Structure formats: C-alpha cells, structure tokens
Amino acid sequence: MAPLLSVKNLSIGFGKDDAVVRDVSFDVAAGETLALVGESGSGKTITCRAALRILPKAAQIRSGSIHLQRADGPVDLVTLGERQMRDLRGNQVAMIFQEPMRSLSPLHRIGNQVCEVLWLHGRKSEAEAKKEVLSCFERVGFPDPERTYSSYPFELSGGMRQRAMIAMAMVAKPKLLIADEPTTALDVTTQAQVLGLMKELQRDTGMAMILVTHDLGVVANMAEKVVVMNKGRVMESGAAEPLLSDPAHPYTRALIQAAPQIPAAATPKPAPPREDLILEMTGVSKTYSMRAGKGWKAPSLIYACRGIDLRLPRGKTLAIVGESGSGKTTAARIALGAEPPDPGGAVLFRPRPDAEPIQVHNMDRAARTAFQRDAQMVFQDPYSSLSPRMRIQDTMTEPLEIHGIGNRAERRERAGEMLNLVGLGQDMLKRYPHAFSGGQRQRLSIARALMLDPSLIVCDEPTSALDVSVQEQILRLLENIRDQHQLSYLFISHDLAVVARIADEVAVMRRGLVVEQASPETLFHNPQHPYTKALIAAQPEPDIHRPINLKLVAQGAGSPENWPEQFRFSGIEAPPLVPLEPGHKVRCHV
Amino acid sequence: MTQLPDGRFVDDAPYDPDAALQELERKDLDAPNWVLIWRKFKTHKLGLISGAFLLICYLLLPVVGFIAPYGPNQRMSEHLYSPPQSINFFHEGEFLGPFIYPMTSEADLETFQWVFEPDYNTPLKLDFFCEAKGYNIAGLIPSNTHLFCAPEGATVFLWGSDRLGRDIFSRILYGAQLSLTVGLIGISVSFVLGIFFGSVAGYFGGRIDWVINRVIEVLRSLPELPLWLALSAAVPSNWSPVAVFFIISVILGILDWPGLARSVRAKFLSLREEEYVRAAEMMGASSGRVIRKHLIPNFMSHLIASATLSIPAMILGETALSFLGLGLRAPAVSWGVMLNDAQNLASIEIYPWTAIPMLPIVVIVLAFNFLGDGLRDSLDPYQQ
C-alpha cells in the first residue's frame, strides 16, 4: 500500500544562499508516527512546513516532491494550486504549533476558533459544528467543555491551550497531523500528559503524525519511525527501535549520549557533614501584594515562596527544581540580594571559610560591593544576556571596570584567559555577539561571570534555551569549572534529569514551598512525595522500553488539594517539612 | 546513503562532532553594528537615494551664494512679477550653447499689468564664473564669483521674480539655509530634552515616571498652532533676524520633545528587562553607568530614526509660522517667508510662480520621510 505522505529528495533554500534542506526523503504510512529529530537550525521545521506550503516568503522549494495519498490518488503538494491547497489545509493535513501562548487569537473565544475549521471547509451547520467541537473538547480532556467553548485563550493555562490547539487540529479529522515541537514550551509534567493525549487520539482515529522535536526522550515515547537531521541533511532514518538502541551514525550516538538521563538507582549516600556553609537561607518568604482591580477591595497577596530553608556548602551544588511559577527564581533573586525577603527571613553569606558571615539584606555600601564581586549570576536566555552593541571584549571587561580592578592590558589579558577556560578562542574578543550560536553565547556569559573570580554562582536555568547536545557540553563545562575553582552553585532548573547530573542536593518546589529535599541519589531511588514521583515519571528518556507512567504523572502534577491525605495542602495551609531520614526531607504529615 | 540490513538509512558523509565550537554560527553577521546597518540600508533604494539627496543639499548650504545668480534681497525694479525664463541651447536650428532670450516689459494700459514678452531675435549667452553681487561663503569668506549670471542688459529668472523684482530661484536657495537648519536645531533641543526626561521616567519609574507622563500629556493636549503663535508673538519685534530664527527653532524643539520622550521611555522599559542590563546591575554598576553604557547605545539607533522622521514636522512648523507672518521676518529669507507672498489668492492666480517655494518643501519633507523609513527598517540588522 502506498504511504500517506511521501517526501522525495526535497531541497529548500533561501534566496541565493545554499540550500538549508538538502535531499530529504521519508515516508509516513497511515496510522504511523514519524519523528523528525534535530537541533535548532537543522531544517526540520522548514521541512514539515513545506508539506503545508506555509514557508517564509524568501524560501523556495528547489527540487523534490511531496506526494499526499488521497482517496482519488496521490497529489503533489509542491505543484498543487493554491485553492486546492487551501482545501487540504486543516481538512486533510493539520498542524500544531510550538507556542501555545501565541497560536490562539486572544480576541476570539476558543470555541469559535476551533469551529472555524469546520465552517471554512463548509461541512457543518452551526449547531452541528458546535456539537462536534464540544465532543472533541471532551475527548482532549477539558473537564467542562461548555465553559471552555465560551472562554478566551488567556483564561487557560499553557497546557490547556495546547489541548485546545490539539482539538483545533483534530476536529476536522485530518489524515495527517504535523506537530511542530508541541510540548517544548510546556512543563515536564504537562508535556507528559499532552504526549499521552496525542498518542491516545492517534490510536482512536488512525491518523498519521509527523512529530518535530529535539528531544529523543519524546521520540522514544511516541514514534515508530525516526528521521535524524543535522544541518539540513538526513543523518539517519529508519525504525525507532533499532535506531535508538543501536545508533549507526555518530551524530545520532552523540545525541543519545547527550540526552539527560535519570541515574540508575544507587544506594543513598548519607548527607555530608555541613559545617562550611557559603550560603544559608533561613525562613525566607516573599509575598507580593497585587492591587485589586476594584479600588475598595483589599490587595490580594501572592505567596511567591514561603518558609525556605536552604544551606549551600562550599564547593557544592544546590539545585532548586520546579515548574514555572513555583517560586524558584524568586528564591534565587533573594539569595543574590536583588530583592528583600519578607521580615523574619535572613540570608547569610560567608565569602571565605573563616570570614564572618554577612547579612545579604543588611549591607553597607562597601560590603555590597564586595558581595557583588563574590556572587555572580548566569542567565537563562543566551540571546539577551550579552549586549548587542558591545564587543565581546568590552562585555567581558565590564565587571572589572565597574569594580576598578587592573588596567586595560591586565583586564584584556584576563578576558582572554577566561575565554580559553570556557573553550573559546581569544580571537573572539574583537567580535560582536550576534555572530555566535546559543551555546557559544552561554559560554561567554559563563566566562563573564568568572571574570571577578567569584565564590558563588547562581545559574538560572542556564541550559533550558539550548539544544540537548549543547546542554550536555555546558553542563560538563560548569562541572569542570566548579571543581577547578572551588565554586559553589545555586542551580535553578525545571528539568530533574539535568539537575541529577550536576547537583549535590536537590530541593523540589511547588507553589512556593519546598516539597522534598534530598541528595539526587536519594531522590531518584526513594522519592516520597507524589510531585517528585510525577516529575521523575514524566521525564522522557531515549529508552524505548521505559514509557512514561501517565497515572503517576497525573496524580502528582495535579492540584495539591488532590494529593494523598498525607501530603495534601488545604488552601495555603501545607504540611510541615519533616526529615524522613538523614538528609531527606519531605513535606508531609507523618 | 547506505542502507543497513534492518532497513535503516545512514548518511556516509564524514562527520566531525567537535567542529561547531570554534566556528561562527552566523558568519554573515560577523561585523560591527554599523556595517550591518549599512548593508541592510543599502537594499532600501528609496531611502538610499533620499539620504544621498539630503546629504548633497546640506553640503551645498554653505555655498548657495555661488550657485545663485542674484543675492537674496537684490531687486530688479524693472522686472516685477517677471515670469520664469528658460535656458535654451538652439537658436533657429543652430547650436549656440546656453543662452536666454531677454524679456521685454510693456505696460498693458487696459489691465494695468506689466506684460512680459521674450525677445526671440536677440539670444544672449549666459556668463559663467562671472563676478556679480558679493556674498559670504559659509557666512565667513567674502566672494563675488557666481556659477552663472545674466548677460549684460538681460535677466536670468529661472523661476520668475516676485512682487519686488527679486529672483525666486536665488531666494529659494538662500531660504534653504534657514529652512533646512531650523529642523536640525529644533531636533537637537527636542533630542536632549526627550532623552533626559524619557530616560529618567523609564529608568526610575514610580512617582517620577508618573509626573513626567502627566506633563507630557498636558503638553500634548495643548493646541499646537495657537501655542506656537503665542510663543512667537512673545518674541520682541526688535530682535535681529538671526535671534528670531534661533528662538523659533528652540520653540519648535520645546514643543516636540514629548513624543520623543515617550518613545525613549517605552524603549527603556523594554530594554530594562533584557538580561544584559540585569547582569550589569547585579555586578554593581551604577544607574548612570547602566544608562550610559547599555541602554543609550542600544536605543540610539531607534532615536535617530524617530528624529529623522520628526525633522519634517519642524520644517513644516517653521513654514507654517512664517507663512502666517509670525515666524521669521524679512529681511531673513526662508521658504515660509517666501510663501507669505503667496497668501493672496489673486496673486497666485495671476503669478502662479510665486507659489514655487512649495516645491522644495514637498521634496525635502518626502526625502526625510523616506530616509527615516529606510533607517527604521535597517536598525535591527541582527534580528534576521
């Protein structure tokens, strides 16, 4: 039987430049899932956009064909007329985009946006369309379809919006669904649930799916066939099972190795004695008051983080893990003195082992300057953390200039040394940041943080904007530097597997509270809290024999009011954080 | 491509996993900002042409006296309201080089108008690099050499003459000196005020921001034209033309800054969220340093573009004021002052060439708009 979609020798280029997609071929059969895997810039998105002919204006399809099997025989999507193409889009081939926050129009009700597909293809009366959409909403897991139908996108969370997008794509019952990184912008637990939903829908409707992703873990959970792309070329393609368990191409091997993995369970180590603490946070809370929309109402309080006690020993790494909005970044900002905690909380910082601890939030000018030398930060977004108008050299020497250290030549020499330390060449000093890739920029920003020879570095999701293979290199670099320079890290992340590798202790946060805290070995070997269990279970791994356990995820990631009795929150009341064993604390009623 | 026994395809081109680290990802972007901006600006043809045109115009300003055949206030009392004369090359099929037919004037005793008729029998050749009325190059070096002047016994009024018998072409050239610089002076005043108030409001926020915003709103709600009128009416009438000119441009600048301050403030607010700014703050940089080193360089280009787009408003403002007789006053020459003569509908009907000064205004304003548009498009060259 002919495949549903067959791409042959496809080449796409922009303007007069070299082709960005070269000679790509693959087939998708009905009911099958094909994963297009690659890093950013590998041409995977362009390839699947070509199938719907929604390429950017400057791009042209240079050669090749894309055949779609229809009831009346195959049609070539490359040469099909624009009017016929419109009939196909949404009807036969549907697409889900990456950003759930931006792919729904904020001015229209969700129901109307989803119904539009049915109206456009002129198949339904209004009442019928609504009925169909409501049943589709129920199918994708909205608890109250009627309410969702008449709500606006901003009333829904990211995961719910992505469900609405899926409903929009599914409602016309397409034969082929193209999902362009459908879960990249979502938290890991939400991702697991959305992936589970997509798989279930596919099983029920028998449609084919092209899944574009950079995460081999997602591939292992979803796909039967895999195409690995790099720089516009296919590196390896074939069935998922052999490809993932025995990769033939070195690039595939590198990708699989780079994927962060949950360590095999090891015996829990007792926590090391902690005497020499570099950073100590006791009873730190932060409450923001939001002015109510109506003037006569009292302002509502938002508890960004509550009662946080964290201790970071010198030369170690303490990781804070949580989904977006869990308060982890607020905790880090308080630790760096960028924001004051609520009264009662204190942050102590000991720059040297024998020095007197300083109160981070009660410093005079001189102490503050000294603190700013000793504590540095590495930011999340490599594209916005370097000023586009400054040469790398000026960016690198800026911290020294602010603190008035050294003369020009010395500063420049130090900048060169630091570049070498992070694995970059000295010739980059004269350049501007826009020529560099994300990974190179992140290295530059690490080098800048090291310029003042600090003792504490706060890393705010330093790898979440990077490709998997680059993430691996950056983590290795951070580890090396920590060991060479006796640095201590406060490492913020949403990815438990990343943290497992670099941290000595992990604190899992949910709704501003630490729910479980232990060494990574203990945490992975013996997780106690349902949320921790859900995080671990939701982690996609490039191992085809370890599917995501959706039940665990759904239970732990749900509302804290629905956790088992022992762990349950009621309103803002939560159980206390109690030590279960040495070095392992869980928030529960014992 | 090789096919493995289990049906997999594998690429066989050699693959080096470590190649990426030292390599530049975007080689096309490996250049300083101004090079990137220039590269992109070059593709905006209309902006490029306008920019070149404006550059030439401004470079010519100091030497307009050389190009103009007459002085700005030189009167030919025999030739009031003389129509434009053309420069010809062929006389009765014979090539003579550039010459003109002299005008003969005659009073029509029925309409009481002067009637000008070219005398087609006596072509008179133009003189080049000749000596005529003295002028100062750039206002400093005295000279009396002109590019071309009228031959003995004739006039050369390319665009006609006005009610006092002054050459409109020469006056437009002299008028450009004031009309074009009024925008520059005004925009500098507005630039300084706008950057100062905008950055204070954007950086410090809170109460200061609130106050500045309200002041901007109040200023913007004042009706513009009456305010100009009131302010320029307050200029003492015994001041010299230069002082009046200067004060008019300052007035235009003072009324223009709110718009600029608003865009500066908006840009500041968005730039403050950028991580490099937060990084500098966390390293201990003072607010002055953050503003100077990080914020201003990053939005200077935007400012220049928006300034370019608001120069036309200044030029038009000066024209409007002078047209109403409240801006520059004779003997100063500007396009607005010249249009003041064209206020009378009857005189435009009979002597349409007195309205010619509108032409350079339209051309210059358009050129600034195109240039500003092109600049705005090419300012973020590294965002694809």
Side-chain angles (χ1 to χ4, degrees):
Chain A
M1 192 190 138
L4 180 69
L5 184 83
S6 161
V7 176
K8 288 255 174 315
N9 305 330
L10 184 70
S11 291
I12 303 170
F14 283 90
K16 295 190 192 78
D17 301 343
D18 286 342
V20 289
V21 170
R22 270 173 288 170
D23 220 13
V24 170
S25 311
F26 56 81
D27 293 336
V28 190
E32 189 179 57
T33 304
L34 174 108
L36 272 176
V37 189
E39 299 179 11
S40 48
S42 60
K44 54 191 196 301
T45 300
I46 295 276
T47 307
C48 67
R49 283 188 169 223
L52 275 176
R53 285 240 304 273
I54 46 173
L55 291 170
K57 268 216 178 73
Q60 340 109 5
I61 297 177
R62 295 211 173 133
S63 67
S65 65
I66 305 172
H67 283 281
L68 180 76
Q69 190 72 34
R70 290 211 299 192
D72 51 351
V75 283
D76 189 354
L77 299 183
V78 174
T79 53
L80 199 65
E82 191 54 37
R83 176 172 284 274
Q84 285 169 293
M85 198 69 216
R86 268 212 304 273
D87 287 342
L88 270 176
R89 288 185 196 132
N91 199 4
Q92 308 259 337
V93 185
M95 186 150 182
I96 302 177
F97 294 94
Q98 177 170 0
E99 275 290 345
M101 299 291 162
R102 293 208 310 238
S103 40
L104 289 166
S105 159
L107 289 179
H108 296 99
R109 296 178 192 279
I110 303 258
N112 290 345
Q113 295 190 47
V114 177
C115 274
E116 204 181 0
V117 185
L118 295 178
W119 295 334
L120 279 180
H121 294 290
R123 295 204 303 225
K124 293 283 149 44
S125 72
E126 203 152 317
E128 269 179 89
K130 181 169 180 183
K131 223 172 103 199
E132 198 158 318
V133 169
L134 285 180
S135 73
C136 187
F137 276 168
E138 200 172 345
R139 187 70 203 78
V140 298
F142 281 112
D144 185 354
E146 279 283 353
R147 226 189 92 199
T148 314
Y149 191 90
S150 57
S151 57
Y152 286 97
F154 56 80
E155 297 173 49
L156 305 183
S157 68
M160 283 299 162
R161 282 185 220 197
Q162 202 58 305
R163 277 172 204 262
M165 277 303 289
I166 293 175
M168 197 193 278
M170 297 294 304
V171 72
K173 305 214 166 51
K175 296 219 177 60
L176 174 67
L177 177 69
I178 299 176
D180 184 4
E181 308 239 13
T183 56
T184 308
L186 304 177
D187 282 317
V188 62
T189 47
T190 321
Q191 157 171 309
Q193 288 164 340
V194 169
L195 289 179
L197 170 69
M198 286 170 66
K199 206 165 176 179
E200 213 177 289
L201 286 173
Q202 186 189 18
R203 206 166 42 227
D204 290 357
T205 59
M207 65 174 175
M209 184 153 74
I210 297 182
L211 182 72
V212 178
T213 179
H214 66 272
D215 190 340
L216 279 170
V218 171
V219 175
N221 274 286
M222 301 288 290
E224 284 103 47
K225 262 182 167 173
V226 183
V227 176
V228 181
M229 287 183 71
N230 182 30
K231 294 187 181 153
R233 292 168 52 101
V234 174
M235 293 282 117
E236 188 169 352
S237 72
E241 230 262 90
L243 191 140
L244 289 175
S245 47
D246 176 29
H249 196 277
Y251 181 71
T252 321
R253 267 202 292 279
L255 268 188
I256 291 181
Q257 259 162 27
Q261 285 182 14
I262 289 177
T267 45
K269 278 189 290 191
R274 299 169 178 148
E275 281 126 26
D276 183 15
L277 298 176
I278 185 166
L279 188 75
E280 196 177 352
M281 301 172 80
T282 32
V284 169
S285 303
K286 183 76 193 175
T287 317
Y288 294 105
S289 59
M290 212 167 52
R291 228 175 348 156
K294 303 182 181 81
W296 58 86
K297 269 193 181 166
S300 58
L301 298 179
I302 294 170
Y303 300 95
C305 52
R306 284 187 277 161
I308 293 191
D309 294 296
L310 291 175
R311 295 144 162 268
L312 172 58
R314 194 174 305 282
K316 300 284 180 201
T317 300
L318 171 67
I320 305 179
V321 181
E323 59 194 12
S324 43
S326 63
K328 53 190 197 301
T329 303
T330 309
R333 285 175 63 83
I334 293 175
L336 270 183
E339 261 177 83
D342 289 348
V347 182
L348 291 180
F349 177 73
R350 258 184 218 87
R352 315 272 163 264
D354 42 0
E356 272 297 295
I358 34 179
Q359 286 263 12
V360 170
H361 294 281
N362 188 15
M363 294 187 290
D364 56 14
R365 218 189 165 80
R368 176 164 292 278
T369 312
F371 175 71
Q372 279 160 343
R373 282 186 62 172
D374 277 316
Q376 292 292 323
M377 186 152 179
V378 174
F379 291 89
Q380 175 174 5
D381 180 4
Y383 289 90
S384 102
S385 57
L386 301 170
S387 169
R389 306 271 156 173
M390 281 165 98
R391 287 179 194 277
I392 297 302
Q393 178 175 327
D394 299 328
T395 300
M396 297 282 295
T397 54
E398 195 187 13
L400 297 182
E401 255 172 61
I402 291 173
H403 290 274
I405 301 168
N407 57 28
R408 272 181 76 92
E410 285 166 11
R411 287 176 197 159
R412 184 183 303 184
E413 197 182 322
R414 173 131 182 104
E417 278 171 32
M418 287 302 129
L419 278 194
N420 285 344
L421 185 72
V422 296
L424 298 176
Q426 299 222 5
D427 58 318
M428 292 190 172
L429 280 177
K430 289 278 168 213
R431 297 216 149 90
Y432 284 87
H434 30 256
F436 296 123
S437 66
Q440 284 167 329
R441 289 184 196 213
Q442 201 57 295
R443 279 169 196 264
L444 289 170
S445 113
I446 293 171
R448 174 178 59 184
L450 290 173
M451 285 297 282
L452 286 170
D453 203 6
S455 48
L456 170 71
I457 294 188
V458 175
C459 306
D460 184 9
E461 307 219 24
T463 60
S464 62
L466 303 176
D467 284 319
V468 199
S469 59
V470 181
Q471 158 170 305
E472 215 276 334
Q473 295 167 359
I474 296 284
L475 287 177
R476 201 183 324 146
L477 175 73
L478 282 171
E479 281 172 337
N480 289 344
I481 295 174
R482 177 187 61 190
D483 298 342
Q484 273 172 37
H485 291 251
Q486 272 293 300
L487 290 175
S488 315
Y489 291 154
L490 184 63
F491 196 97
I492 316 289
S493 179
H494 65 270
D495 191 336
L496 207 53
V498 164
V499 158
R501 156 167 191 171
I502 196 167
D504 297 293
E505 182 156 11
V506 183
V508 181
M509 282 184 77
R510 181 84 206 270
R511 292 227 183 145
L513 286 165
V514 174
V515 293
E516 187 161 6
Q517 185 177 354
S519 66
E521 288 84 4
T522 317
L523 209 58
F524 289 115
H525 177 66
N526 182 20
Q528 289 300 317
H529 200 277
Y531 183 63
T532 319
K533 283 182 188 164
L535 275 185
I536 297 174
Q539 185 70 42
E541 280 197 75
D543 178 354
I544 204 146
H545 304 294
R546 186 190 166 281
I548 293 174
N549 182 343
L550 279 176
K551 222 179 111 215
L552 262 184
V553 175
Q555 191 187 35
S559 153
E561 280 81 30
N562 300 334
W563 283 339
E565 177 68 53
Q566 207 181 349
F567 304 100
R568 193 169 300 163
F569 292 12
S570 61
I572 63 159
E573 292 299 313
L577 194 63
V578 291
L580 276 193
E581 49 191 337
H584 187 180
K585 287 187 266 188
V586 183
R587 191 169 288 278
C588 64
H589 300 291
V590 189
Chain B
M1 282 280 181
T2 32
Q3 189 162 20
L4 296 189
D6 56 5
R8 266 189 283 165
F9 289 96
V10 180
D11 188 54
D12 10 76
Y15 168 76
D16 175 17
D18 291 326
L21 187 52
Q22 300 297 335
E23 199 181 292
L24 293 179
E25 189 189 49
R26 303 286 305 268
K27 285 216 181 62
D28 53 326
L29 290 185
D30 183 28
N33 278 296
W34 64 268
V35 175
L36 296 178
I37 291 179
W38 171 239
R39 261 190 227 156
K40 187 139 183 214
F41 184 64
K42 269 196 301 192
T43 62
H44 195 287
K45 286 285 177 284
L46 210 48
L48 194 68
I49 294 169
S50 303
F53 170 71
L54 286 174
L55 188 71
I56 292 171
C57 286
Y58 276 96
L59 287 179
L60 286 181
L61 285 188
V63 294
V64 287
F66 172 69
I67 303 164
Y70 296 102
N73 291 312
Q74 194 179 354
R75 290 190 56 192
M76 307 275 145
S77 45
E78 300 290 301
H79 298 272
L80 311 184
Y81 287 127
S82 170
Q85 289 171 278
S86 60
I87 293 179
N88 303 303
F89 292 90
F90 292 92
H91 178 64
E92 291 171 356
E94 194 184 340
F95 181 76
L96 274 186
F99 69 90
I100 51 163
Y101 295 112
M103 285 285 190
T104 56
S105 51
E106 205 179 310
D108 183 334
L109 291 180
E110 267 174 37
T111 58
F112 298 103
Q113 279 181 355
W114 284 98
V115 178
F116 290 87
E117 278 299 329
D119 173 5
Y120 289 115
N121 297 321
T122 47
L124 291 173
K125 282 218 227 172
L126 283 177
D127 293 340
F128 287 93
F129 299 102
C130 46
E131 293 187 357
K133 176 120 182 141
Y135 59 93
N136 292 338
I137 297 174
L140 299 171
I141 312 157
S143 162
N144 59 1
T145 310
H146 291 254
L147 180 62
F148 64 99
C149 22
E152 272 300 315
T155 54
V156 54
F157 295 138
L158 293 182
W159 287 343
S161 70
D162 66 4
R163 73 191 155 87
L164 296 175
R166 296 172 297 196
D167 179 25
I168 290 183
F169 176 72
S170 305
R171 280 170 66 79
I172 284 180
L173 289 180
Y174 280 101
Q177 283 183 324
L178 293 190
S179 289
L180 290 184
T181 41
V182 81
L184 291 192
I185 298 181
I187 208 71
S188 333
V189 173
S190 137
F191 220 68
V192 171
L193 291 173
I195 290 186
F196 178 75
F197 286 110
S199 49
V200 166
Y203 192 81
F204 295 104
R207 203 167 289 267
I208 303 179
D209 185 27
W210 190 89
V211 170
I212 291 178
N213 263 318
R214 297 300 87 79
V215 170
I216 289 176
E217 276 153 21
V218 168
L219 273 177
R220 293 222 122 183
S221 66
L222 299 174
E224 228 170 32
L225 204 57
L227 191 69
W228 282 347
L229 296 182
L231 283 174
S232 46
V235 178
S237 54
N238 56 351
W239 283 16
S240 73
V242 177
V244 173
F245 160 73
F246 196 75
I247 210 77
I248 294 279
S249 15
V250 172
I251 289 172
L252 290 173
I254 286 176
L255 292 178
D256 185 67
W257 70 264
L260 209 58
R262 270 199 177 161
S263 65
V264 170
R265 174 176 170 273
K267 200 76 196 136
F268 250 91
L269 288 181
S270 69
L271 279 178
R272 275 213 67 174
E273 298 301 312
E274 295 281 327
E275 286 181 345
Y276 57 83
V277 177
R278 300 231 313 268
E281 281 171 355
M282 282 197 175
M283 277 183 264
S286 62
S287 353
R289 188 187 164 92
V290 171
I291 293 182
R292 233 178 34 248
K293 286 266 179 178
H294 292 279
L295 297 177
I296 290 191
N298 273 296
F299 70 61
M300 204 35 134
S301 44
H302 289 266
L303 278 192
I304 291 172
S306 49
T308 316
L309 287 173
S310 54
I311 289 180
M314 302 249 169
I315 294 178
L316 290 175
E318 183 273 333
T319 312
L321 276 183
S322 304
F323 177 77
L324 295 172
L326 286 155
L328 300 172
R329 295 160 202 166
V333 189
S334 82
W335 296 339
V337 171
M338 295 177 71
L339 282 177
N340 198 357
D341 289 349
Q343 266 181 352
N344 186 339
L345 196 64
S347 84
I348 294 189
E349 214 176 319
I350 308 173
Y351 316 114
W353 55 90
T354 49
I356 282 184
M358 296 220 296
L359 206 71
I361 296 174
V362 172
V363 172
I364 291 289
V365 168
L366 268 183
F368 268 114
N369 280 333
F370 289 143
L371 173 70
D373 201 38
L375 282 177
R376 198 174 44 193
D377 287 350
S378 48
L379 284 176
D380 273 327
Y382 30 81
Q383 266 138 29
Q384 294 277 330

